[in-house]
Amino acid sequence: MVVIRQHGTNSELFDISRFLVDVDRFVQPDSWHITIDDCMGDRALEIEQLTAAGLSMSDGEFRELYSGIYQTIDGRFIGHAGGARVFELLAVDSSFWKVTGSPTFESHMLATYGACQRA
C-alpha cells in the first residue's frame, strides 16, 4: 500500500476521473465495489445514498454513474477482474489516497501523483 496526494502542487485535484487512465493501463477491472461517504459533482447525493452500504457494478456502470463526480472526499473503490480483487483506492478526508494493488501499479501511482506528506 502507498499513500498519495489528493492535491498537486498547483492545487490540481487527483481523483477517480484522472486515475481511470492508470487503472486501464495497469489493472483493467471488469467490476467495481464502491462505498462513497462524501463526494462532489453531478448526482453526488444520489451516489452517496446508493453506495452507503456498498454497491457492486460492472466497469461500464461504474464509469457512467461516477462520470459527473469531480471530487471524492471520502470513499472506497475496489476493482475486480475475473472475480479477484486487483486494487483498492481509498480517499481519506479530501487529503490523500491509500492505493493498494500490484507492486507495479502502486509504484506507478506513487511516481505519478507523489507521496502524501502527512503531519
Side-chain angles (χ1 to χ4, degrees):
M1 190 235 350
V2 295
V3 180
I4 63 172
R5 306 178 296 176
Q6 190 166 37
H7 302 276
T9 53
N10 296 325
S11 298
E12 180 180 17
L13 182 63
F14 301 141
D15 209 85
I16 292 297
S17 60
R18 179 148 179 192
F19 296 158
L20 287 175
V21 170
D22 308 297
V23 166
D24 289 343
R25 181 174 170 201
F26 289 95
V27 291
Q28 302 164 350
D30 51 43
S31 65
W32 295 73
H33 184 82
I34 65 171
T35 308
I36 309 302
D37 295 323
D38 197 2
C39 63
M40 298 174 69
D42 295 339
R43 301 175 65 189
L45 183 58
E46 176 188 0
I47 290 168
E48 291 165 5
Q49 292 170 343
L50 280 172
T51 68
L55 181 65
S56 293
M57 66 196 77
S58 72
D59 182 54
E61 291 169 325
F62 166 71
R63 290 172 192 252
E64 182 178 328
L65 177 69
Y66 221 69
S67 66
I69 300 300
Y70 62 87
Q71 184 175 13
T72 306
I73 297 168
D74 287 294
R76 179 176 303 237
F77 304 83
I78 301 170
H80 295 90
R85 179 187 202 148
V86 291
F87 70 89
E88 180 177 335
L89 301 166
L90 177 65
V92 180
D93 196 28
S94 188
S95 299
F96 58 91
W97 288 89
K98 291 183 179 181
V99 178
T100 306
S102 71
T104 304
F105 181 62
E106 289 181 9
S107 293
H108 168 78
M109 295 297 282
L110 190 59
T112 302
Y113 300 102
C116 177
Q117 304 299 321
R118 294 185 281 174

